[in-house]
Amino acid sequence: MSRSRKEKRPGDLILPKPPPVPGQRQLADGPWGALWIATLENPRSGDTGQHEARLNRARTYARRGAVGAITVRKGELAARVAGSDPRPYKVTVRVPELPKAEGDRLLEAWADDSEALAELSCGMLGETTARLALAEGVALVPKPGVTEYECTCPDWGYPCKHAAALSYQFARTIDTRPDALLLLRGYHLNEVCDEAAIRRAEREITVGEQVAKEMELAAARAVPAGEAFARFRRQGRLPPLPPLPAPSAGPAPTGPFPDAGHDDSLAAPERLRMLADDAAHRAADAYTNAVEAGEGAGERLWLDADPLLDTVRRAARADGDPHLLGRLLSSSDQSRAQLSRASLAWKHGGEPALAVLDGGGQVPPPAIEAAAREQLLTVPLSGRPGSRVLRRTGSRLQLMGEDVELRYGPDRLWYPFRKQSGAWWSAGPPSRNAAEAVQGVLQTS
């Protein structure tokens, strides 16, 4: 193989000489290292037997510590590897830098996934980032056939055992040093983490603006109650009540939610009671809000123009009533889990809490974020001694390692959320004080 001389350059990353690996332990346990080894062990046509023999020797070299410190730079690895010659061989492994279009596609996929962002925020590439890279068809670990190997040894194998030993040792390293893999492909870990977070924040701002626009349109379509009743009176009739079927003679439905086919099990008086109860609660809420808002604010009582808001509000008010929840589920396109998450958010904070539930929060102003960070880092939180690591992604201020985060709402309040079964659930009432908002969540987690 060809001979070359390598000098240290600005921006090089030096991975120190790793210790030997005892016994026959696997050289790489993580997803990225396993991908690297799979590529290395893919033989060229007609070279299967010799290739495997060289790899066996290379694994022995790597395990016994024959590979020295590894220099990583864009598109290149370099190290000295001890072999049969008294002087170590100089080995270089070259790969092409990742094309910008593929890098952008990978960043978009990572920015779209909360678990990938969590890995990046910890300075790691793990199972989720690897899975998304494979799903997008982006070969952050180079595909077979594009890697070039150079060594000062006389062996012309592809690769020789010394170059393969360097590759094995690099595979052993990259799961704990993702900055090395990214640098090799032309990227820097800090820049990747920041860019993914920025893209996610921009996306959430866009979603938030769209939600605000839809809410404005819904408000524009709403009709004051007085106008609605006056319109029907001019036509000589009042708004019709829902149809009232006769009570069902069959057995009562069982389970937490009745099936849609058992709607008729509710007798007419029960339906009227539910409607009257709901109307009474809405009137009380409207009166309270008008009094709190000041004189003249309650001159109009607005009806919901959005069926989803009406469904969520009534589900929150149902407080587990199986009959009412069953009716709401049968008349809504929401799944049981979606309706449960939404109604819980409504209980804790009404429409603003619902707005931040699925990406409708707002990026906090710098002063507000700084105050929240100081509150969370300096105010003692019961049962959580020691330092806390915070990271903001869009409108979210995450407490790393706690599965807890705060979201900044359109009403300038912090809303606490807790991750359960892979989904984020509203976890308590909001507050202007970040530590106060998160205190109850941490006490019960």
Side-chain angles (χ1 to χ4, degrees):
M1 302 179 73
S2 62
R3 299 172 178 267
S4 61
R5 177 179 179 80
K6 299 297 169 193
E7 297 178 355
K8 190 176 186 307
R9 308 170 190 168
D12 285 356
L13 173 65
I14 308 298
L15 303 177
K17 175 182 171 66
V21 181
Q24 295 295 311
R25 270 179 41 198
Q26 204 169 345
L27 284 166
D29 298 320
W32 295 100
L35 279 172
W36 187 277
I37 288 177
T39 300
L40 170 66
E41 294 180 347
N42 189 328
R44 293 195 296 185
S45 177
D47 192 33
T48 305
Q50 295 180 359
H51 183 71
E52 183 58 34
R54 286 193 298 271
L55 292 183
N56 286 335
R57 293 291 304 278
R59 285 189 284 267
T60 301
Y61 281 168
R63 286 194 176 95
R64 77 182 188 190
V67 181
I70 302 174
T71 300
V72 186
R73 58 177 63 111
K74 291 184 179 182
E76 189 176 285
L77 303 174
R80 294 178 181 268
V81 179
S84 56
D85 196 89
R87 294 170 51 183
Y89 298 111
K90 298 174 185 177
V91 181
T92 303
V93 176
R94 291 193 179 91
V95 299
E97 294 183 25
L98 191 68
K100 185 179 184 304
E102 293 191 22
D104 284 343
R105 195 161 80 245
L106 190 57
L107 280 170
E108 285 294 314
W110 287 348
D112 264 341
D113 192 283
S114 298
E115 292 185 9
L117 283 176
E119 288 181 6
L120 290 171
S121 68
C122 297
M124 295 299 298
L125 297 179
E127 297 283 351
T128 302
T129 47
R131 173 177 54 79
L132 291 172
L134 289 173
E136 290 294 322
V138 177
L140 190 55
V141 170
K143 294 181 179 179
V146 301
T147 306
E148 297 179 0
Y149 303 95
E150 290 184 1
C151 182
T152 55
C153 78
D155 184 356
W156 287 87
Y158 178 86
C160 72
K161 51 187 174 290
H162 312 105
L166 169 56
S167 280
Y168 275 120
Q169 201 61 269
F170 185 67
R172 178 185 172 191
T173 305
I174 57 177
D175 283 303
T176 55
R177 292 296 304 267
D179 52 335
L181 176 59
L182 288 168
L183 176 60
L184 179 66
R185 302 310 305 278
Y187 288 81
H188 293 279
L189 177 61
N190 290 338
E191 294 174 359
V192 168
C193 294
D194 291 344
E195 179 63 21
I198 289 171
R199 294 187 185 203
R200 178 58 172 263
E202 290 174 346
R203 196 158 306 159
E204 290 183 348
I205 291 173
T206 302
V207 171
E209 291 173 348
Q210 182 63 31
V211 170
K213 184 180 295 185
E214 290 175 358
M215 291 176 66
E216 289 177 4
L217 290 174
R221 292 193 299 267
V223 179
E227 291 182 17
F229 276 86
R231 188 181 304 164
F232 278 101
R233 281 201 175 97
R234 284 195 297 270
Q235 298 172 0
R237 59 191 181 90
L238 288 177
L241 289 174
L244 303 176
S248 170
T254 58
F257 296 117
D259 293 332
H262 289 287
D263 266 356
D264 294 348
S265 63
L266 289 177
E270 287 184 278
R271 290 195 174 194
L272 287 172
R273 177 191 60 77
M274 288 192 301
L275 288 170
D277 181 71
D278 183 61
H281 279 296
R282 295 198 67 197
D285 290 344
Y287 177 79
T288 302
N289 293 337
V291 170
E292 291 177 349
E295 184 178 358
E299 292 178 357
R300 290 183 172 183
L301 174 62
W302 295 83
L303 300 176
D304 281 338
D306 187 339
L308 173 61
L309 293 182
D310 185 70
T311 299
V312 170
R313 177 184 56 77
R314 294 178 66 190
R317 183 77 71 187
D319 199 24
D321 183 334
H323 291 298
L324 180 53
L325 290 174
R327 281 179 50 78
L328 292 172
L329 276 173
S330 66
S331 62
S332 169
D333 60 358
Q334 299 289 299
S335 69
R336 185 176 308 179
Q338 289 173 322
L339 189 59
S340 297
R341 289 177 67 238
S343 65
L344 182 61
W346 189 281
K347 280 185 180 180
H348 288 148
E351 195 167 334
L354 190 62
V356 302
L357 178 62
D358 288 313
Q362 299 181 357
V363 176
I368 298 294
E369 180 184 348
R373 285 179 176 274
E374 183 176 357
Q375 291 158 6
L376 291 170
L377 292 174
T378 60
V379 176
L381 297 177
S382 175
R384 294 298 192 280
S387 61
R388 290 175 284 278
V389 179
L390 305 176
R391 181 176 180 85
R392 182 178 65 77
T393 303
S395 64
R396 306 177 180 191
L397 192 57
Q398 300 170 331
L399 279 72
M400 305 308 300
E402 297 282 359
D403 279 344
V404 170
E405 68 180 26
L406 295 175
R407 300 182 182 181
Y408 192 64
D411 51 0
R412 302 180 182 178
L413 299 180
W414 288 105
Y415 286 79
F417 279 76
R418 178 191 292 127
K419 194 173 189 180
Q420 300 179 37
S421 301
W424 288 96
W425 291 70
S426 175
S431 174
R432 294 194 184 278
N433 184 292
E436 180 180 303
V438 84
Q439 179 73 69
V441 185
L442 294 178
Q443 285 178 338
T444 58
S445 61

